[in-house]
Amino acid sequence: MRTFDNSHGTDKYILPLLLDDPEYEVRASISNMFTYLDDFMNTLMLELERIQEDNQKLEKLRRQRVERLEDRLCFTALWADYYFFLNTVERTYRLAKELYKKLGEYDKERQIDQSISYFNARKIRNKIEHLYENLSDEHKQFYSQHRSMGPKNEITIDGISFSASEDSLQLLYQVYDDISNIIKEKYIDPSKTVVDRIWNRMER
């Protein structure tokens, strides 16, 4: 799985050299949000690892009666990690959209809004939360998925599906790489020579 660290050490290039620069606040926001984007993406990777570990535990229980509380909690752990993963996916998309707006890339922000991946993540998160408002007999199908999501860790409600897998993150990977390239071209490359010269003098 990937790791994400493109924001590391970039604040000195993104921030203007002068505090009274009219772009200071916007560029400070971009720098902070870029750091948070790394954090969110790495959180998704950690959650995928946790889900994989949950599955390994459940695989051992496949051919035996599940009676002990410790074993039953394995199902709860899988569900909790899936649900946190799903929420983080949606929040990462929202953060990426805000970053695109700060960068003036409004068409790319709209492309996220129109994407199936973002739509499915947002909708199924919403549907799960509304199902909790009325957990009755009509939701037995959902409950069975809650207990065992299958090898793809996929839940389907009202024809909308979302899986906790790297396949479901491909658009976010592309968005992350694209935002990194935009920041590099717009802020880092143009100021790198001057900023490096200043920092080298300060460190002497």
Side-chain angles (χ1 to χ4, degrees):
M1 291 185 188
R2 288 183 61 174
T3 54
F4 301 86
D5 196 31
N6 286 355
S7 70
H8 181 69
T10 61
D11 56 326
K12 62 185 178 183
Y13 303 113
I14 299 173
L15 294 175
L17 294 174
L18 301 176
L19 293 176
D20 61 353
D21 189 297
E23 289 191 5
Y24 190 90
E25 288 189 10
V26 172
R27 292 174 69 159
S29 294
I30 290 170
S31 180
N32 290 335
M33 293 166 72
F34 193 27
T35 300
Y36 289 136
L37 186 61
D38 274 346
D39 291 342
F40 275 54
M41 294 296 291
N42 286 319
T43 298
L44 290 173
M45 297 300 100
L46 291 172
E47 276 306 304
L48 285 182
E49 289 180 5
R50 286 178 61 91
I51 289 168
Q52 185 175 353
E53 291 170 4
D54 295 337
N55 275 326
Q56 290 171 353
K57 292 177 183 177
L58 288 172
E59 186 64 29
K60 295 177 182 178
L61 300 173
R62 185 179 295 276
R63 292 182 175 85
Q64 66 185 61
R65 288 180 61 85
V66 180
E67 297 177 342
R68 297 189 312 156
L69 174 61
E70 292 86 347
D71 293 338
R72 297 202 307 272
L73 287 176
C74 291
F75 294 98
T76 305
L78 174 61
W79 172 244
D81 288 325
Y82 172 86
Y83 188 60
F84 186 74
F85 172 83
L86 185 63
N87 275 275
T88 306
V89 167
E90 183 181 0
R91 295 300 173 188
T92 306
Y93 273 121
R94 290 182 183 274
L95 176 60
K97 285 172 56 184
E98 287 301 311
L99 246 175
Y100 270 139
K101 281 199 290 187
K102 291 285 185 182
L103 293 166
E105 300 286 344
Y106 302 107
D107 286 343
K108 292 183 177 181
E109 180 217 348
R110 284 191 289 271
Q111 286 172 13
I112 291 178
D113 268 332
Q114 296 165 2
S115 71
I116 295 296
S117 295
Y118 177 56
F119 175 86
N120 286 351
R122 183 168 52 88
K123 283 295 183 181
I124 203 162
R125 188 270 309 152
N126 182 263
K127 286 180 177 294
I128 288 170
E129 290 176 357
H130 283 291
L131 282 173
Y132 275 141
E133 296 169 3
N134 183 25
L135 285 176
S136 59
D137 289 342
E138 65 189 86
H139 301 308
K140 284 181 178 178
Q141 182 181 3
F142 168 70
Y143 183 74
S144 68
Q145 295 180 87
H146 165 185
R147 305 296 285 178
S148 179
M149 299 174 200
K152 292 184 178 180
N153 297 308
E154 185 174 67
I155 277 188
T156 301
I157 304 174
D158 295 337
I160 296 175
S161 302
F162 199 86
S163 66
S165 68
E166 285 201 277
D167 288 343
S168 67
L169 298 179
Q170 291 307 308
L171 178 58
L172 274 177
Y173 290 163
Q174 295 170 20
V175 167
Y176 176 85
D177 291 337
D178 186 51
I179 287 174
S180 297
N181 288 332
I182 291 170
I183 290 175
K184 182 177 183 294
E185 293 172 4
K186 190 170 184 177
Y187 296 109
I188 298 174
D189 288 348
S191 62
K192 194 174 190 313
T193 301
V194 173
V195 171
D196 284 348
R197 187 184 307 133
I198 292 171
W199 277 83
N200 287 336
R201 288 176 181 173
M202 292 173 60
E203 292 171 355
R204 289 176 184 172

